[in-house]
Amino acid sequence: MESGKNYLVGIYDDEDVMLNAVKQVRESGVKIHEVFTPFPVHGLEDALGYRRSRLPIAAFLFGLTGTTLALTMMFYMMGFDWPMNIGGKDFAPLPTFIPVTFEMTVLLSAFGMVGTFFVVSNLKPYGKPKIFDIRSTDDKHVMAIDLAKNHLSSEEITGILNQSGASEVNTKNFD
Amino acid sequence: MSVTASVRKPLITGGKTAHDVTEDICRQVEGKPSKLWFTAMAISLGALAVGGYALIMTLWHGIGMWGLNKTVGWAWDITNFVWWVGIGHAGTLISAILLLFRQKWRMSINRAAEAMTIFAVICAAQFPLVHMGRLWLGFYWALPLPNTFGSLWVNFNSPLLWDVFAISTYFSVSLVFWYIGLIPDFATIRDRAQNKISKAIYGALSFGWDGAAKTWMRYESVALILAGLATPLVLSVHTIVSFDFATSVIPGWHTTIFPPYFVAGAIFSGFAMVQTLLLVTRKVYKLEHYITINHIELMNIIIMVTGSIVGIAYITEFVIAFYSGVEYEEYAFINRMTGPYWWAYWSMMTCNVISPQLFWVKKIRTNLAATFILSIVVNIGMWFERFVIIVTSLHRDYIPSSWAMFTPTFYDIGVYLFTFGLFFTAFFLFAKFFPVINLAEVKSILKSDSLKSKKEETINEMQEVQDLENN
């Protein structure tokens, strides 16, 4: 058996059956490579034992960068580099800086977070996804199990998958 | 797993399965464009061409081609700008604010509404860009670059500059939000594609999406944060647009009520535009099971509520003008109502204050023809609102010798027509090549909110009650 290239693929028709199956399969000691679903299934990340996403932290830090950048830019331009008397207003009027500061915060936060999301999830134009079953973007929930990372035999795992409610169990080989 | 009370109306009817959803929506993308589509496209391209002529003439000869004069220096251009930006607001409200409020009925309509937002903002941007006159120098005036003729910077005290930041941020963040939602659906189309070209195009558009649980987890987190960012953003955009007027000292503009009043008006006109577009899309694409009467009724209720807020704002403005005791302010409002532009004022009042009140009647708000007509009436009214605020406040200057009237020329109308051509061309392209309904989100509520699941639930409940009675 080639290492890391042979997968068992369990196909589930229903999200609740799949969610229970994930718990059952993990309890019977099988390591799940990943589950592919056509839509977000709530509670799946907990069932798979994933750590919560830290993207909100990234968003906050990018937002903070935006705030700092905007305020620095405006104070530098209007207060230091070329102070101008505009209708007798203060050279560094903080209240009139608020709208631009807010917009820059939102802009950097949104773009920074989405950029981070693309990078960590390896999403890019012409990115070639590993597709275990083409129906996973239509209506099937697909559980992939890497045989090389499991000590149980292929037959044993197939049995566990069938018992957990899989409608089909296939093998998949990436060359 | 979510539990929804069975008394709530189902959001998806017709006993659809996840596979049916894929089929129903992808069919439009995969099939050949219909004759109707070509006809509609030809009309909008025609508008684009006629309007394009007016636009080129305006750019070539300058904005003197418009009907502006020394007194009325802002008229159709800024009216159209505010009108288009306002229309955009409904898309973000649906996708962001309703997401934060966990309103699941947004899921059938958010895709098309967000597309509308993006195209409307592009149309809106045409007007300030053209009004700059020498468009090609606009970068120096609008962006914080050192002036090539010295070291001057842009003026950060000016609401017009805040607008540059607000509109561009709003546009780009909305675009990203919309695109993130499209990625999983593009992947669905990619995996169904039969020929090489569409496989390559949708493959590139889908960014290599595979629907892994980990990616979905991050995706949901991104969507939630983006909604949290877009909510204050959308409110800030029309607030800043209203600052263009409110921070000036023109009687009729210099009022603190403008920000909330503009935001309510924006949502009001935006929802009306969503209704106009979706009623047609729903009919042509046979989406009756996805965009149900329930959806239409809910949107009509929002139109009714925001229309009433706008009505109250009109009356408040009036009362405050009298209460202020400022002669100029009082005159501005009396002149609006009874002056030479009385017809514009009363068109606005009829369309925006009286007509949405018809939605109190359930028969009217669940009637498709009535909804369609009223949605157009509301948008005519909202165009007049901006025209009334802008032109009637300007045309009576402080000195009677400066009093003037505004009459649009062919070029005013032409540039407006250009934006209509632009908007509908973009929308028809979207409707043909992009999935008009968010597949992934709609699939995720099939178990909790479809008619099928509701029926099963009701049957189970009835069974339980019977069992209890028998025992």
Side-chain angles (χ1 to χ4, degrees), chain A residues 93-168:
Chain A
L94 185 63
T96 66
F97 289 173
I98 298 301
V100 172
T101 309
F102 170 75
E103 303 298 332
M104 292 274 285
T105 306
V106 169
L107 186 72
L108 262 78
S109 177
F111 272 77
M113 174 183 57
V114 170
T116 316
F117 168 59
F118 283 165
V119 171
V120 295
S121 304
N122 197 24
L123 291 171
K124 51 183 183 283
Y126 294 99
K128 288 267 176 288
K130 262 190 179 180
I131 295 176
F132 288 88
D133 192 292
I134 202 116
R135 292 167 296 173
S136 72
T137 52
D138 180 8
D139 61 342
K140 303 288 187 220
H141 302 267
V142 173
M143 189 194 291
I145 289 157
D146 190 344
L147 286 174
K149 288 191 183 153
N150 278 291
H151 52 85
L152 291 171
S153 74
S154 166
E155 289 72 33
E156 281 171 311
I157 299 175
T158 308
I160 293 170
L161 289 179
N162 276 326
Q163 211 180 6
S164 71
S167 58
E168 294 170 35

Side-chain angles (χ1 to χ4, degrees), chain B residues 201-260:
Chain B
I201 293 173
Y202 289 108
L205 289 173
S206 65
F207 275 42
W209 177 269
D210 57 3
K214 192 160 236 165
T215 318
W216 273 122
M217 178 184 79
R218 292 184 182 129
Y219 169 94
E220 292 243 284
S221 156
V222 166
L224 189 65
I225 302 279
L226 275 182
L229 288 170
T231 300
L233 179 64
V234 66
L235 301 179
S236 84
V237 171
H238 233 57
T239 301
I240 292 175
V241 167
S242 80
F243 284 166
D244 291 347
F245 306 101
T247 59
S248 74
V249 287
I250 307 287
W253 288 3
H254 193 57
T255 48
T256 46
I257 200 179
F258 264 25

Side-chain angles (χ1 to χ4, degrees), chain B residues 10 126 128 163 281 310 413:
Chain B
Q126 308 304 314
D163 248 352
T281 314
V310 168
I413 302 164

